[in-house]
Amino acid sequence: MKPLSLASLAVSLTLSALGTLALPAPHAAAQNGVIRCESQSNRERVCNTGWRNAQLVRQLSGSDCDEGRTWGSRNGSIWVTNGCRAEFVEARGGWGGGNGGGWGGNNGRPGETIRCESQNNRERSCQVGWRNARLVRQLSGSPCDEGRTWGVRNGAIWVSGGCRAEFAEARGWGGGGGGGWGGGGDRNYSVTCSSNNNRSQTCNWDERQGRPVLQQQLSGSACQEGRSWGYARGQVWVSNGCRARFGTR
């Protein structure tokens, strides 16, 4: 066999490299509208979806999947990092962007939801024009405790201490201990509570919503009532690595 010249060898190597670069990036596996995206060895991974926004439906990793910190949506794709592995579906509706998050812009409209986030534990104010608000979905591992890490003042929601959550206008909430819902609780009300490093954690629960139930386990560690989570006097407690979303019956 005639030996290759240095020029021929360089051309062959260049063509081989170009051929490798031309291969399409692996796509996330999709089944029944569900996309699995996985951060391996704590590296960031981007999974193309074509969706404007995504919703986590099942966490597969022991590492936390915390929206905005270890996963999120951007430019028609989902990104995951720091060991987050999970399954996602398309979130219908879409966020309007802007400083306050929310649907269709910064100001909340009747029946709509506003996302307000405290980044780096700093206080953040999101204009809504509401007199009162209620937390409908906690997004952060840090607790969202009304009056301590979130509240309403002068037509705006404020958050601090790392609280990140979705809020809706609270109609007919007069404040104080009485009144509230006419029984059965608000079906949209939920609280996410996390046991970090297997330590016990308590999260405030609005007693007007009745007794909480586990809606979605977010941790690799088991969440078992009476062993790694429970409820007492307006407080949900979690331990032994349990991280979950709790809601009304």
Side-chain angles (χ1 to χ4, degrees):
M1 180 182 295
K2 185 178 179 180
L4 291 172
S5 67
L6 290 176
S8 299
L9 181 59
V11 169
S12 298
L13 290 174
T14 300
L15 290 175
S16 175
L18 288 173
T20 302
L21 291 173
L23 291 175
H27 288 274
Q31 186 176 6
N32 298 325
V34 178
I35 290 285
R36 177 178 295 186
C37 200
E38 301 179 320
S39 162
Q40 303 290 354
S41 302
N42 289 329
R43 296 177 181 173
E44 180 171 311
R45 168 79 185 280
V46 178
C47 302
N48 292 327
T49 60
W51 302 337
R52 186 174 180 183
N53 280 289
Q55 176 182 347
L56 188 152
V57 292
R58 188 162 72 101
Q59 181 173 317
L60 305 172
S61 57
S63 303
D64 283 346
C65 290
D66 186 1
E67 187 175 5
R69 188 173 64 86
T70 58
W71 80 271
S73 302
R74 65 179 175 224
N75 302 324
S77 63
I78 296 168
W79 59 268
V80 290
T81 189
N82 292 336
C84 169
R85 298 183 299 107
E87 293 177 350
F88 303 88
V89 296
E90 185 175 9
R92 302 291 180 179
W95 297 98
N99 291 333
W103 297 90
N106 291 340
N107 292 326
R109 297 178 178 86
E112 295 180 338
T113 306
I114 287 289
R115 178 183 298 187
C116 202
E117 303 183 349
S118 163
Q119 303 289 355
N120 299 320
N121 290 326
R122 296 177 182 173
E123 182 170 313
R124 170 76 180 283
S125 181
C126 302
Q127 292 295 328
V128 292
W130 301 335
R131 186 175 180 181
N132 284 296
R134 58 185 174 85
L135 188 152
V136 294
R137 187 162 74 101
Q138 182 173 315
L139 305 171
S140 57
S142 303
C144 291
D145 183 2
E146 187 173 7
R148 189 172 65 86
T149 57
W150 80 271
V152 182
R153 63 174 174 236
N154 301 324
I157 295 171
W158 61 268
V159 290
S160 66
C163 168
R164 298 185 300 106
E166 294 172 4
F167 302 88
E169 185 175 11
R171 297 181 179 276
W173 285 45
W181 303 93
D186 175 12
R187 289 180 298 175
N188 293 322
Y189 180 83
S190 67
V191 168
T192 298
C193 203
S194 305
S195 163
N196 296 318
N197 299 320
N198 290 326
R199 296 176 181 172
S200 294
Q201 172 73 41
T202 59
C203 301
N204 282 354
W205 175 267
D206 183 355
E207 293 184 273
R208 292 173 291 188
Q209 306 300 327
R211 185 176 179 82
V213 296
L214 191 152
Q215 289 184 331
Q216 184 184 8
Q217 179 175 312
L218 304 173
S219 57
S221 303
C223 294
Q224 295 182 353
E225 187 171 9
R227 189 174 70 85
S228 55
W229 81 271
Y231 172 74
R233 296 185 297 278
Q235 296 275 324
V236 176
W237 62 266
V238 290
S239 64
N240 298 324
C242 168
R243 181 172 185 263
R245 181 178 299 123
F246 302 90
T248 59
R249 293 185 183 276

